[in-house]
Each structure stands twice: as structure tokens, then as C-alpha cells.
Amino acid sequence: MEIGPIFSALRRNKVGALLIALQVALTLAIICNALFIINERLAFIARPSGIDEGNIFVIKNLWVGRGTDAENTSLLQTDLQTLRDLPGVADVYSTNTVPLTNGGWSDGVRLTADQEHSTTQTANYFVDEHALNTMDIKLIAGRNFKPEEITDRAERDSGLPDSMIVTQEFAQKMFPTESALGKVVYMEGKKPTTIIGIIDNLQVPWVGSWVKTWGYTSALIPQRMIRQNSAYVVRAKPGQLESTMKAAEAKLFAINPLRVIGSVRTFSEIRAKAYRGDRAMAILLSIVCGALLIITALGIVGLASFWVTQRRKQIGTRRALGATRLNIVSYFLTENLLISLAGVVLGIVLAVSLNLWLVNNFELTRLTWWYLPMGAVMILLLGQAAVLPPARRAASVPPAVATRSA
Amino acid sequence: MFSYYFSLAVRSLKRNPVITALMVAAIALGIGATMTVFTVFHVMSGDPIPSKSSRLFVPQIDNWGPKSHRDGDNEPADQLTYTDATALMRAHQGVRQAAMYAAGFSLTPENKDIKPFFVEARATYGDFFPMFETPFLFGQGWSSTEDEAKAAVVVLSKKTNDKLFAGINSVGKSINLDGRDYRVIGVLDTWEPAPRFYDVTGKTFGDTEEVFIPFTHAIDQQIGSHGNNSCNDDPKAGWENYLVSECVWIQFWIELPSAADAARYSAWLDNYAREQQRLGRFTWQPNNRVRDVQAWMVAEKVVPNDAKVSVLLAFSFLLVCLINTIGLMLAKFLGRSGEIGLRRALGANKAALFAQCIVESGVVGLAGGLIGVALTALGLVGIRGIFPEDIAHLAHLNVALILLTVALAVVATVLAGLYPTFRAMQVQPAWQLKSN
């Protein structure tokens, strides 16, 4: 294939070729960045919470009227016992919050009481000895809380108990070189707390960017929250989620109607709600990418068709001089490849600049390098596919066209 | 002349239906995608209270000092302590001012057919209502008299009044919150500022509260915050300790006569901080902020980066569509060299040709714009399906947006048509006639 004649033909069609190259470049720049953002979102959404999501549901309960701490304690105990006695229930505990609900309690953790800046932030989950079993979380070191270690925490109480269970991420952040088990850290009120157990994984309640660096730094605090409102986390026996949810709500109202059940939601519903914005962003960008590829392809089809029409006479002449159909097709394919390659080179520069700009202005992460060749190959193939129909039409120009005058 | 060019344009467009369809499709898709994303961005970044946004201010006081700042960030906390909020209320430096926080109650209706339900509440001062120009359906907000008396009065949202009292005038009736009776003093009409600017530390978009009660009463009854609460140290047990602690949990707004008064207020606030320094509470220089509504929305990052990035990508998409259109239009105009040459030979001057080509671009833009509006409407339905409810329910197409969409399509397409038009004008009449 002679590239020389293609070049000289292109020189006479500068603007058209330039427009396609520009379109290819912009498309590549947008697609690379958009696909990268989409993939990051999907990975973000897919992160595990660390609990047995398939069988868990959460009941948000609020007592009518503001009872005394003693009254609330007794109401809470009755509710928990009632739920535990339900046939479909594997285990239950009450808490202040659960992962992905975007509300909760965070605290700074220090290695010494007078350390100026905390080493890390942590999410505090107030739980009892049933929590690990309910969430189906495995201890990787140490032990679970004993029932007698669980204390009551009323609305305006302060200070943390002597012991807690932390996630592996918590342990590694605080004690990167040695085992955290049995170590003392300082949290609320600069009071020493001993780590008695380490669990594998438990996501913090928030999914926003502010928890980016400590998404799994969580602590289980052996305290029962005695308040007007609390969340009951229930694990249903396998396959009994739906029926247990209905039974639980009905039973709670039956034993005491003076309550508001804010919501009874499966963990899947909580997850879907937490990531709805991220999912929406991924869908939106996918649609933009899809539309962009279609537009670019159609643009190439349109311009190539026009060129074919414009060059009917030259094509006929070439055919008359012995060029095969394949020669004609490969002429247009090569022409498109040259234009697209120029576009791709410019596009890679644009993609990287766009990414750098996004990183600097919108707290995005750096583009992974292989999105560039991947996007380039994708767009080159798209160009070849788009130019193929007009090229085949060009190949079908009969050699006799050369002999006609107009 | 215009109608002649218009009919020429339509005829010419009909002659190359494929290229015309491609151009219209490119414009329509580009406009549709851009306007869909822009509409969402627009509602998120809108001015929630345009009549007053330059006269309403949020004071910030650095009550934790330099030790609490990280990574060179010098921002003070975005909420106030009870100590500072009440001090600022007492100082009465503005036309109106209100300290406020989010609370929640169980509401037990007198009508036993309705089960008790949870209501979001806002504990605030009487100035809240005139300061934010909340519309009233019945009655009004409370006055400073009720604030001082810590009165058990309540303003209901329209939704709550509809639910409890079937929408009738309930002023003078009472409702039960957490076992305590409150006298209804006013009922709001629909009030949906977007963003929910007065408290963006919790939910930024979405419904306003269902009931409003006096701040002084809520504090007196030890009603804790349902909103964001941050402490840099253990507040120690008990309500009184909590109130004197350095925990920040109260939003504060002040209305000043003009934007210029913000400087005066800022100076006053620095004096206040210096006084706290003298009292030994702060050991650092004043580090305060006084921001108006728009500056506050920026500081609190109300419009998420996501929304900005998607607007940027959508406009880049529109740019690609326009480049596409330039190419196709160029092909189309140059494909008509013969016709153009003939018209020129018959006496049409360049201006006439220019007008004809521009009208033709305009017609393509108009068609693309109209289809684009339909696509935007469709896109917004899709948005409502995939986005969180609080944002999704804001995304509506209004007349202004429709006009903007069509105008943008026409202007963009005409601009895209300029180069092809310029090229078409270069066609030499004699050469064209000769070669054909």
C-alpha cells in the first residue's frame, strides 16, 4: 500500500481530516477519563461492608415520649429478648448505627493521652456481646465481649469502657509493626482502652470522601445505648429474611404499641441507598460515553461517504487502471487509520491534561496508564468499523465511471 | 427574504436526508445530554434565597484553635458551640439573627386512627421565619416574647398540617411531641429552598423540617441535636457539661442591612474572640469568618465535585457533536458547489449566500434543539430514576430551560456553520460552471 498518494489526497482535504482527527482526540480524552471514573465508582460500590449482608435487616425504633433511663433500659431489654425469641431470628443486638447508613460517631485515636494530633479517626459502634454473631464477623485474634463487660450508656454519659474490639485496619494503623492485641489506645476523654479482640473487616457508617483514608477503621465498644431511639440489627436464619422482617415488626407493635418504627430495611436496601449517587454517576457517564462513540462513528461515516461521492471519478479511474476492490477498501481504511492515529496522539495528550486538571481541581485520582492504549485501540477499531461501509461502497464504483464526462 | 432562504434550506436539507439526519442527531444528542446534566447542576448550584442571599451571613468562630487544623487548612469549625451561639444571640448585632439545630420527635396525633410517627424538627428563634421569608398558610412564627418565655409553641409544615388536621387552619390547636403538648402558632405553606442552605451540615438537599419549636424551649427541655455534632474533647457527662463544652452543633444565621455591614460585623466578631482570649478560653489569635449565602455554599462544598465533573464532560460531549456538525456541514455545503456557483453566476452576492447558509445552519440547529428538548425531558425522567430522591425531585424542565436549550442549539449550530459557510462563499462561479 502506497501511503504517499493518501497523504497528498489528504492535503487537499485538510479541514475534513483535521475535524475527524480533532473529534477522535476529544473522544479519546473524554472516554479515557470517563471510563476511569466509572471503574473507580464501580469498585467503590462493590466494596464489602464486612457483615453478612444477605440475611441482615435493621429496625429503627423510637419510643413515644421521653422515658427515664431505667424505663428505656427495660423497654430495650424486652424488645431484644422478644426479637431473639422469634423463630426466624439467628441473633440480634441494638446499636447506634450500622455500616453505610451515613450517620454515626467518629473519634480520634491516640497512642498516648497527650498526643497532639490523633493517629487515625475511627468509627465507634456501640454494641453488646451478640454483635459479632449477628453480623457474622470472625475474630482473627483475641476474644469476644463477655455479657458482664457490657455497660449501659445513657444519652449524656461520657467516657469509654476499658476494652474494645477493633478492625484489622484499625490495628495496623495504630501498631503497624506489632500485634495490636492487648495494646492500650486513648480515645474519648483521653481514657486508656485495651484492645481485646481484632476482627477482619467492618466498614465505617459513612461512604463520603471524608472517610477515604479510614473506610474500615472501626471499633466495637461494649456499651448499650440507652436512648429514646436505637437501631436493632437482626440476622435472620437463611432464607427467612422477608418473613422474619414482617414478624418482627408485628411482634414489636404487639408487645408495646407506644413506639415509632422509622423503618425496617434489609441491608441490601441500605446498600442501594448509600451508593445511589455513585451508581447514578456511573450510569450517567456510561450513557455519555456510549453516545459519544456513536456520534464519532456517525461523523466518520458521514464524512467518508461524502469523500467517496466526491472521488467517484478518481476511484473509477484507479479501478480502470487495474486497482482491485480490496485496494480501494484498504485505501479508505488506511486513510482513516492515518487520520485517527493523528487524533489518537493528540487525544492521549488531551486525556492526560484533562486528567491532571481534574486531579488538581476536583480531588480525582490519577488516571491509570493502561486506559490510554485501551482507549486508543478502541477508538481506532471504531474508526475502521465506521469507514468500512463507505469504503465498500467506494469499491463498488464501476471502472466505467472513469470514461464518463461528469 | 428570510422565508425564501428558509424554504431553500428545508429543500436543501431534504435533498441529503442522511447527512441532514446525522447533523440533527448529533446536535440533538449533544444538546440533550448537556442540558440533562446541566439541569441537575443548575438546581444544585442555584441561589436558594435570591431576594436576600447577599444580606444573610454565617459567622464562624475558631474555638478549637490551630491544633485542630490539619494539612495547612485554616478553616474554623462550621458550627458554633452553645456558649458562642447564645453570646451572639445576646449581642444582637444584626437586623435579625437565629441560632438553630436539628431535632427529632415522636408525634402522637390526637386522632387515634393515625399511628404515632417520627417528625424532623428544627429548634430555632422567632427571627428564623422573617429572616428566611418562609411563606405562611395560617398564623405566623413566634416572637421574641415566646423565645424569652421558652414557650411550648410550634410551627407546622404544610405536610404535617395536612396529615394531622386535614389541611384546615390549626392555629390554636395543640399537638403532642414526645409526650408534651405544643400549641400550634403557625402553619407554613410549601417551602422548599434548594439547597437546604440554612443547615447543610446534615442533608444538603431534600425536605425542610416538619415542625419548628423555640430554641430556648428545646434547650430548657434538654432536647439533644439530631444533626452533626463535633467535639474535640470529651464533653463530660450530663446536659450542663454539654452546654458549656467546646462541642460544636449549632447553626447560626444573621441578617445584616447590607453586604457592607459584614465587615463591621467581622470586626465585632474578632473583638469577641479577643475577649474570649482575654478570658483564657482561646489561646490563639481570632480566626473567624463571616460568609454570605453563596460564599457559604462554596465553603461547604454544597455542589459535589461529581456534579461539576459531569457538567464538564457533558459540555465536552457537546463540543464533539459540534465538531462533528462542522464536518458534515462542510461536506454538505461543498457538495453543493455547483448549485452555489450557479446562484453566484446568476447574480447572488456573497452576503446573500452567507445569509442562505446561515439560515440553513439555523434550521438544522432548530431541529436539533427541538429534538434535544425532548431528549432532555427524557433524560430528566431517567435522572429521576437513577439519582437519590432528594436531588432527583428537583430536576425539572421549565420554560426558561427549554428556551435556553433551543437557543443554545441554534447559536451553537450557527457558529459551527460559520466555517463551512465561509468556504461555500469562496466558490468561484465561473470555475464551477466551466467544470460541469
Short mmCIF file of all heavy atoms in Angstrom, two decimals, chain B residues 171-196:
data_model
loop_
_atom_site.label_atom_id
_atom_site.label_comp_id
_atom_site.label_asym_id
_atom_site.label_seq_id
_atom_site.Cartn_x
_atom_site.Cartn_y
_atom_site.Cartn_z
N VAL B 171 -54.23 26.71 63.79
CA VAL B 171 -53.67 27.65 64.77
C VAL B 171 -54.54 27.63 66.03
O VAL B 171 -55.77 27.71 65.96
CB VAL B 171 -53.60 29.08 64.18
CG1 VAL B 171 -53.22 30.10 65.26
CG2 VAL B 171 -52.58 29.11 63.05
N GLY B 172 -53.89 27.50 67.19
CA GLY B 172 -54.62 27.44 68.46
C GLY B 172 -54.83 26.01 68.94
O GLY B 172 -55.01 25.76 70.12
N LYS B 173 -54.76 25.04 68.02
CA LYS B 173 -54.87 23.64 68.42
C LYS B 173 -53.54 23.19 69.00
O LYS B 173 -52.55 23.91 68.96
CB LYS B 173 -55.24 22.77 67.22
CG LYS B 173 -56.62 23.06 66.67
CD LYS B 173 -56.98 21.98 65.67
CE LYS B 173 -58.27 22.26 64.91
NZ LYS B 173 -59.46 22.46 65.75
N SER B 174 -53.51 21.98 69.56
CA SER B 174 -52.24 21.55 70.12
C SER B 174 -51.83 20.18 69.58
O SER B 174 -52.66 19.40 69.11
CB SER B 174 -52.29 21.56 71.65
OG SER B 174 -52.92 20.41 72.11
N ILE B 175 -50.53 19.93 69.57
CA ILE B 175 -50.02 18.64 69.14
C ILE B 175 -49.10 18.10 70.23
O ILE B 175 -48.63 18.85 71.09
CB ILE B 175 -49.24 18.72 67.80
CG1 ILE B 175 -47.98 19.56 67.97
CG2 ILE B 175 -50.10 19.25 66.69
CD1 ILE B 175 -46.98 19.35 66.84
N ASN B 176 -48.86 16.79 70.19
CA ASN B 176 -48.07 16.15 71.23
C ASN B 176 -46.74 15.65 70.68
O ASN B 176 -46.71 14.79 69.80
CB ASN B 176 -48.89 15.00 71.82
CG ASN B 176 -48.21 14.40 73.02
OD1 ASN B 176 -47.17 13.76 72.89
ND2 ASN B 176 -48.77 14.62 74.20
N LEU B 177 -45.66 16.24 71.18
CA LEU B 177 -44.32 15.81 70.76
C LEU B 177 -43.61 15.19 71.95
O LEU B 177 -43.47 15.83 72.99
CB LEU B 177 -43.50 17.01 70.27
CG LEU B 177 -44.04 17.82 69.09
CD1 LEU B 177 -43.16 19.04 68.84
CD2 LEU B 177 -44.12 16.96 67.85
N ASP B 178 -43.21 13.93 71.81
CA ASP B 178 -42.53 13.23 72.90
C ASP B 178 -43.28 13.35 74.22
O ASP B 178 -42.68 13.53 75.28
CB ASP B 178 -41.10 13.78 73.09
CG ASP B 178 -40.12 13.14 72.12
OD1 ASP B 178 -40.54 12.26 71.34
OD2 ASP B 178 -38.93 13.51 72.15
N GLY B 179 -44.60 13.28 74.15
CA GLY B 179 -45.40 13.28 75.38
C GLY B 179 -45.69 14.65 75.94
O GLY B 179 -46.25 14.78 77.03
N ARG B 180 -45.29 15.73 75.23
CA ARG B 180 -45.52 17.07 75.74
C ARG B 180 -46.41 17.82 74.75
O ARG B 180 -46.27 17.64 73.53
CB ARG B 180 -44.17 17.78 75.90
CG ARG B 180 -44.18 18.93 76.88
CD ARG B 180 -42.78 19.48 77.07
NE ARG B 180 -41.86 18.47 77.60
CZ ARG B 180 -40.82 17.97 76.95
NH1 ARG B 180 -40.56 18.36 75.73
NH2 ARG B 180 -40.04 17.08 77.51
N ASP B 181 -47.31 18.67 75.27
CA ASP B 181 -48.23 19.38 74.38
C ASP B 181 -47.63 20.70 73.89
O ASP B 181 -47.02 21.43 74.67
CB ASP B 181 -49.55 19.66 75.09
CG ASP B 181 -50.42 18.41 75.13
OD1 ASP B 181 -50.23 17.55 74.23
OD2 ASP B 181 -51.26 18.28 76.04
N TYR B 182 -47.84 20.98 72.61
CA TYR B 182 -47.36 22.22 72.00
C TYR B 182 -48.52 22.91 71.30
O TYR B 182 -49.32 22.25 70.63
CB TYR B 182 -46.25 21.93 70.97
CG TYR B 182 -44.95 21.50 71.58
CD1 TYR B 182 -44.79 20.20 72.06
CD2 TYR B 182 -43.89 22.39 71.70
CE1 TYR B 182 -43.59 19.79 72.65
CE2 TYR B 182 -42.69 21.99 72.27
CZ TYR B 182 -42.55 20.69 72.75
OH TYR B 182 -41.37 20.31 73.32
N ARG B 183 -48.63 24.22 71.46
CA ARG B 183 -49.70 24.98 70.82
C ARG B 183 -49.25 25.41 69.42
O ARG B 183 -48.17 25.99 69.25
CB ARG B 183 -50.02 26.21 71.67
CG ARG B 183 -51.18 27.06 71.14
CD ARG B 183 -51.63 28.07 72.20
NE ARG B 183 -50.49 28.84 72.71
CZ ARG B 183 -50.05 29.97 72.14
NH1 ARG B 183 -50.63 30.43 71.05
NH2 ARG B 183 -49.03 30.63 72.66
N VAL B 184 -50.08 25.11 68.43
CA VAL B 184 -49.76 25.50 67.05
C VAL B 184 -49.93 27.01 66.92
O VAL B 184 -50.98 27.56 67.25
CB VAL B 184 -50.67 24.77 66.04
CG1 VAL B 184 -50.36 25.24 64.62
CG2 VAL B 184 -50.52 23.26 66.16
N ILE B 185 -48.88 27.67 66.46
CA ILE B 185 -48.93 29.13 66.34
C ILE B 185 -48.93 29.56 64.87
O ILE B 185 -49.36 30.65 64.51
CB ILE B 185 -47.73 29.76 67.12
CG1 ILE B 185 -47.94 31.24 67.40
CG2 ILE B 185 -46.42 29.52 66.40
CD1 ILE B 185 -46.99 31.77 68.45
N GLY B 186 -48.49 28.66 64.01
CA GLY B 186 -48.49 28.98 62.58
C GLY B 186 -48.33 27.72 61.75
O GLY B 186 -47.86 26.69 62.23
N VAL B 187 -48.76 27.83 60.49
CA VAL B 187 -48.58 26.72 59.55
C VAL B 187 -47.90 27.27 58.30
O VAL B 187 -48.37 28.25 57.71
CB VAL B 187 -49.93 26.08 59.17
CG1 VAL B 187 -49.74 24.98 58.13
CG2 VAL B 187 -50.63 25.52 60.40
N LEU B 188 -46.79 26.67 57.92
CA LEU B 188 -46.07 27.13 56.74
C LEU B 188 -46.78 26.67 55.48
O LEU B 188 -47.44 25.63 55.48
CB LEU B 188 -44.65 26.56 56.72
CG LEU B 188 -43.66 27.06 57.76
CD1 LEU B 188 -42.31 26.42 57.50
CD2 LEU B 188 -43.54 28.57 57.71
N ASP B 189 -46.63 27.45 54.42
CA ASP B 189 -47.02 26.97 53.11
C ASP B 189 -45.83 26.18 52.57
O ASP B 189 -44.80 26.10 53.24
CB ASP B 189 -47.34 28.18 52.20
CG ASP B 189 -48.25 27.79 51.06
OD1 ASP B 189 -48.41 26.57 50.82
OD2 ASP B 189 -48.81 28.69 50.41
N THR B 190 -45.96 25.59 51.39
CA THR B 190 -44.86 24.83 50.83
C THR B 190 -43.59 25.67 50.82
O THR B 190 -43.59 26.79 50.31
CB THR B 190 -45.19 24.40 49.39
OG1 THR B 190 -46.47 23.77 49.44
CG2 THR B 190 -44.15 23.45 48.85
N TRP B 191 -42.54 25.15 51.42
CA TRP B 191 -41.27 25.89 51.49
C TRP B 191 -40.15 24.91 51.21
O TRP B 191 -39.87 24.03 52.01
CB TRP B 191 -41.10 26.51 52.88
CG TRP B 191 -39.89 27.36 53.00
CD1 TRP B 191 -39.50 28.37 52.17
CD2 TRP B 191 -38.89 27.29 54.03
NE1 TRP B 191 -38.32 28.93 52.60
CE2 TRP B 191 -37.93 28.29 53.74
CE3 TRP B 191 -38.71 26.48 55.16
CZ2 TRP B 191 -36.80 28.48 54.54
CZ3 TRP B 191 -37.60 26.69 55.95
CH2 TRP B 191 -36.65 27.69 55.65
N GLU B 192 -39.55 25.03 50.02
CA GLU B 192 -38.54 24.06 49.59
C GLU B 192 -37.28 24.73 49.08
O GLU B 192 -36.96 24.64 47.90
CB GLU B 192 -39.11 23.17 48.46
CG GLU B 192 -40.31 22.37 48.85
CD GLU B 192 -40.94 21.67 47.65
OE1 GLU B 192 -40.95 22.24 46.54
OE2 GLU B 192 -41.42 20.53 47.83
N PRO B 193 -36.53 25.43 49.94
CA PRO B 193 -35.30 26.02 49.43
C PRO B 193 -34.34 24.92 48.97
O PRO B 193 -34.21 23.89 49.64
CB PRO B 193 -34.73 26.76 50.64
CG PRO B 193 -35.34 26.10 51.83
CD PRO B 193 -36.68 25.61 51.38
N ALA B 194 -33.73 25.12 47.80
CA ALA B 194 -32.77 24.13 47.31
C ALA B 194 -31.52 24.86 46.85
O ALA B 194 -31.62 25.72 46.00
CB ALA B 194 -33.37 23.34 46.14
N PRO B 195 -30.36 24.55 47.42
CA PRO B 195 -30.13 23.63 48.55
C PRO B 195 -30.80 24.10 49.84
O PRO B 195 -31.23 25.25 49.94
CB PRO B 195 -28.62 23.64 48.69
CG PRO B 195 -28.12 24.81 47.93
CD PRO B 195 -29.14 25.16 46.92
N ARG B 196 -30.89 23.18 50.79
CA ARG B 196 -31.47 23.49 52.09
C ARG B 196 -30.40 24.27 52.86
O ARG B 196 -29.79 23.76 53.78
CB ARG B 196 -31.78 22.16 52.79
CG ARG B 196 -33.13 22.08 53.44
CD ARG B 196 -33.25 20.71 54.04
NE ARG B 196 -32.17 20.49 54.99
CZ ARG B 196 -32.33 20.16 56.25
NH1 ARG B 196 -33.53 19.96 56.72
NH2 ARG B 196 -31.30 20.00 57.05
#
